[in-house]
C-alpha cells in the first residue's frame, strides 16, 4: 500500500498538476470566471514565464516576483552571466529556471530562445518584454544610428517578442504578455533629452493595445508604465544629489521606486486575477504623473 502511494506521489503528481493547470486554463478561457478565491487566482504554479532583460534591475525584480508566485522562469538577457545569476536565484526559490542569451532586436535569436523554453518546459504561458535601453543625446546632435538602436531594442524588440511567443500562445489557445513601457510614454521627463526613448515607449503603449485587440480572447496583452525606479539604468542620474532630490520631491510617494515595487503589478497581469483585463497600461509611478 505504502509503495502504491509513493508511486502515485512521484509519477502521477506532475501529470495531475498539468491536467489541473489545463483545466484552469479551459475554465478561464471558456467562462471568464473561476470558482477559486482571489488569492488562488493570483498563483502562478505550473506556469512557464519568460522575462527579457532579466539580468538586472526591473527585469530581475519581476523574474523573482513571478517565481515567488509559483512560476518557472526563463531569464533572457544580452548578458548571459547576469541571466545565469538570476536563474540561480530563481532555482533557489524552488522553481525551474533557465538562462538564455539573446538580443531582443534579433528575431532569429528570440525564436531560438523560445524554442529552447518550449523544448525544456513544453510551453510558454507568460512573456514579459522588459529589455530596454536609452540614449540621452539632444535631438539636434543625435546620430541616426543611436535613434535606430533605441527604436530597434525598445519597440521592434517588443514586437518581435510578442510575435514569436504570441504565435505559440495563439496556437495553444492562451497566454499573457506584459510589455514594459514607461511613464515616459505619457510625459516628457524634465531636463532629460531622450526623444527616441519617449517615442519608443509611446509606441509600446499603442502596440500593446493593437495586439490586445487582435489576439483577444486567447492572448491578453497589457503594459506596465513604471515611474522613476532605482536600477543600473538610472545610476548616473541618482548619483547626482540634486537630481535625486528632484525626483523624490516631485513624486507624491516621496521616493523613487524599487524593482520590488513592480512585483504585484506583473504577477497580477500574468495571473487569472486579471482575466478580464487586456490592452491596459498600468502606471506604477508613485503618483509622479499626477502633478
Ligand atoms: N529604471 C527606470 O526608472 C525605468 C522607468 C520606466 C521604464 N523602465 C523600463 O524598464 C525596463 C528595464 O529597465 P531597467 O531600469 O531595469 O534597465 P537596466 O539597464 O538596469 O537593465 C536592462 C537589462 O536589459 C538588458 N538588455 C539591454 N538590451 C538588450 C537587448 N537588446 N536584448 C536583451 N537584453 C537586453 C541589459 O543587459 C540589462 O540586463 C526598460 O525597458 C526600461 O526602459 C525603466
Amino acid at each position: 500500500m505504502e509503495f502504491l502511494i509513493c508511486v502515485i506521489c512521484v509519477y502521477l503528481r506532475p501529470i495531475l498538476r498539468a491536467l489541473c493547470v489545463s483545466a484552469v486554463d479551459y475554465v478561464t478561457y471558456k467562462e471568464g470566471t473561476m470558482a477559486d478565491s482571489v488569492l488562488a487566482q493570483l498563483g502562478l504554479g505550473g506556469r512557464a514565464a519568460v522575462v527579457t532583460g532579466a539580468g538586472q534591475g526591473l527585469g530581475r525584480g519581476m523574474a523573482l516576483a513571478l517565481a515567488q508566485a509559483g512560476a518557472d522562469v526563463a531569464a533572457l538577457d544580452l548578458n548571459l552571466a547576469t541571466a545565469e545569476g538570476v536563474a540561480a536565484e530563481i532555482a533557489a526559490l524552488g522553481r525551474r529556471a533557465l538562462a538564455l542569451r539573446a538580443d531582443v532586436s534579433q528575431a532569429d535569436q528570440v525564436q531560438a530562445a523560445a524554442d529552447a523554453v518550449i523544448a525544456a518546459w513544453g510551453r510558454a504561458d507568460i512573456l514579459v518584454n522588459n529589455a530596454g535601453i536609452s540614449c540621452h543625446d539632444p535631438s539636434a546632435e543625435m546620430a541616426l544610428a543611436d535613434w535606430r538602436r533605441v527604436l530597434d531594442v525598445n519597440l521592434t524588440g517588443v514586437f518581435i517578442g510578442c510575435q514569436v511567443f504570441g504565435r505559440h500562445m495563439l496556437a495553444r489557445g492562451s497566454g499573457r504578455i506584459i510589455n514594459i513601457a514607461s511613464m515616459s510614454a505619457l510625459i516628457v521627463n524634465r531636463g532629460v533629452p531622450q526623444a527616441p526613448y519617449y517615442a519608443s515607449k509611446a509606441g509600446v503603449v499603442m502596440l500593446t493595445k493593437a495586439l490586445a485587440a487582435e489576439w483577444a480572447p486567447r492572448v491578453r496583452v497589457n503594459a506596465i508604465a513604471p515611474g522613476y525606479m532605482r536600477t543600473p539604468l538610472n545610476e548616473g542620474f541618482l548619483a547626482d544629489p540634486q537630481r535625486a532630490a528632484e525626483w523624490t520631491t516631485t513624486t507624491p510617494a516621496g521616493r523613487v521606486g524599487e524593482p520590488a515595487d513592480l512585483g504585484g503589478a506583473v504577477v497580477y497581469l500574468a495571473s487569472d486575477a486579471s482575466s478580464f483585463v487586456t490592452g491596459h497600461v498600468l502606471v506604477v509611478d508613485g503618483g509622479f504623473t499626477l502633478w
Side-chain angles (χ1 to χ4, degrees):
M1 187 61 180
E2 262 177 37
F3 174 73
L4 192 62
I5 290 171
C6 278
V7 168
I8 289 173
C9 285
V10 172
Y11 293 104
L12 290 188
R13 232 172 65 174
I15 297 168
L16 287 173
R17 192 172 76 150
L19 283 175
C20 285
V21 169
S22 304
V24 165
D25 273 356
Y26 180 78
V27 170
T28 310
Y29 169 59
K30 277 289 177 205
E31 299 172 15
T33 180
M34 286 183 61
D36 289 336
S37 76
V38 70
L39 286 179
Q41 288 179 24
L42 282 162
L44 299 177
R47 302 288 162 100
V50 178
V51 180
T52 74
Q56 65 180 36
L58 302 184
R60 171 179 171 271
M62 288 187 285
L64 294 177
L66 293 169
Q68 285 163 8
D72 299 322
V73 184
L76 180 155
D77 206 288
L78 205 49
N79 182 335
L80 184 59
T82 57
E84 284 171 342
V86 173
E89 292 185 87
I90 293 161
L93 291 169
R95 311 293 173 226
R96 292 186 295 179
L98 288 172
L100 303 165
R101 193 210 165 272
D103 179 339
V104 295
S105 69
Q106 304 299 315
D108 54 340
Q109 294 182 23
V110 177
Q111 185 64 60
D115 292 346
V117 173
I118 294 160
W121 297 338
R123 57 200 280 165
D125 304 289
I126 298 157
L127 169 68
V128 181
N129 278 311
N130 162 78
I133 57 173
S134 191
C135 165
H136 297 127
D137 288 347
S139 295
E141 285 94 54
M142 182 175 298
L144 199 50
D146 290 336
W147 166 275
R148 288 203 165 113
R149 183 65 190 150
V150 175
L151 268 290
D152 254 12
V153 174
N154 292 12
L155 183 54
T156 307
V158 170
F159 178 72
I160 289 170
C162 288
Q163 190 181 51
V164 166
F165 285 90
R167 284 173 178 150
H168 164 76
M169 292 172 179
L170 287 167
R172 284 194 70 240
S174 79
R176 296 93 201 261
I177 297 176
I178 297 121
N179 296 326
I180 305 308
S182 170
M183 69 174 178
S184 307
L186 314 168
I187 52 120
V188 171
N189 306 111
R190 187 187 294 266
V192 186
Q194 47 174 2
Y197 187 80
Y198 300 124
S200 69
K201 293 299 184 179
V204 168
V205 165
M206 206 54 208
L207 174 62
T208 298
K209 294 183 185 198
L211 297 183
E214 269 190 58
W215 293 350
R218 285 175 289 170
V219 178
R220 293 192 291 109
V221 189
N222 289 291
I224 296 175
Y228 288 125
M229 313 295 286
R230 190 184 309 281
T231 70
L233 184 75
N234 280 333
E235 246 164 26
F237 288 120
L238 289 169
D240 170 4
Q242 204 180 330
R243 178 85 68 171
E246 184 196 318
W247 284 6
T248 302
T249 53
T250 53
T251 301
R255 63 177 178 88
V256 296
E258 302 293 336
D261 285 315
L262 295 190
V266 75
V267 168
Y268 167 68
L269 291 175
S271 76
D272 291 339
S274 60
S275 61
F276 201 48
V277 178
T278 196
H280 181 64
V281 182
L282 181 49
V283 178
V284 184
D285 68 349
F288 183 88
T289 49
L290 297 175
W291 285 345

